[in-house]
Amino acid sequence: MTKRSFTVLGKEGQGEASRSDKWIPPLWQEARENFGEIVSLAKLDTTGQLAGFWGAMSDTNRTFAPWNEHGLYLAGCEVADGLPAPYGWVKWVIPSFRYAVTKCTKETYGEAFGYMRKVYMPKNNLKLAGAVHEYYCPKDKDGTLYLFFPIERL
């Protein structure tokens, strides 16, 4: 799918890729606990529901390249473009990309990620063009999330 540039307000952290399970959950906890501060800025879909929550990722140079040993992560909410980040929040403008998208759960995350990188993408002659993002749709109450693998920067 193609997704044009979009904006996420969230709580940012940086750490070792191999230890992401230690430093990312506290970012989500902080974002959830303080969401009321930015709820009025949240982007809504055509039905008036929240557009979604993102676990956006970037290299430490902030170029949206894939992680190496370290990475940046932004746990946040999609918001309207052009808004300033309120105090205590970080704003990222994610560039336009074409993505290969897969659905998973926290339990199947590693399997889905590995399948996309080691099977699906090579089989379809696709190369990773940026950092993978996690998307959480507010309508999905069953723990589903979507992994967005950038395959072409637009």
Side-chain angles (χ1 to χ4, degrees):
M1 75 172 285
T2 297
K3 183 156 178 66
R4 295 288 169 205
S5 176
F6 63 101
T7 304
V8 176
L9 277 180
K11 298 299 183 174
E12 181 183 87
Q14 176 177 332
E16 292 179 45
S18 64
R19 297 181 44 83
S20 62
D21 61 325
K22 303 292 185 221
W23 57 272
I24 290 176
L27 298 174
W28 279 111
Q29 182 176 346
E30 185 181 0
R32 278 191 299 274
E33 289 173 357
N34 296 289
F35 182 63
E37 296 174 7
I38 64 164
V39 68
S40 64
L41 306 175
K43 191 172 194 177
L44 304 178
D45 66 16
T46 56
T47 67
Q49 301 295 315
L50 292 174
F53 299 93
W54 290 88
M57 299 185 221
S58 178
D59 62 316
T60 57
N61 292 325
R62 300 180 183 276
T63 65
F64 297 100
W67 284 10
N68 289 310
E69 293 83 32
H70 290 85
L72 292 172
Y73 188 96
L74 186 71
C77 178
E78 190 166 347
V79 297
D81 297 329
L83 298 174
Y87 180 78
W89 293 85
V90 175
K91 177 176 90 169
W92 285 10
V93 178
I94 313 291
S96 301
F97 280 101
R98 193 164 61 94
Y99 295 94
V101 181
T102 190
K103 182 166 56 169
C104 65
T105 64
K106 287 181 183 179
E107 294 75 26
T108 62
Y109 189 107
E111 179 183 336
F113 197 99
Y115 172 79
M116 289 296 286
R117 291 290 290 134
K118 295 177 182 160
V119 178
Y120 181 83
M121 292 179 71
K123 181 179 177 182
N124 291 283
N125 201 27
L126 300 173
K127 299 214 184 297
L128 194 62
V132 178
H133 303 297
E134 304 161 351
Y135 171 70
Y136 300 85
C137 180
K139 296 174 189 170
D140 293 334
K141 305 291 186 200
D142 61 355
T144 298
L145 68 124
Y146 301 84
L147 297 175
F148 277 61
F149 289 79
I151 55 174
E152 179 184 8
R153 193 166 184 156
L154 303 174

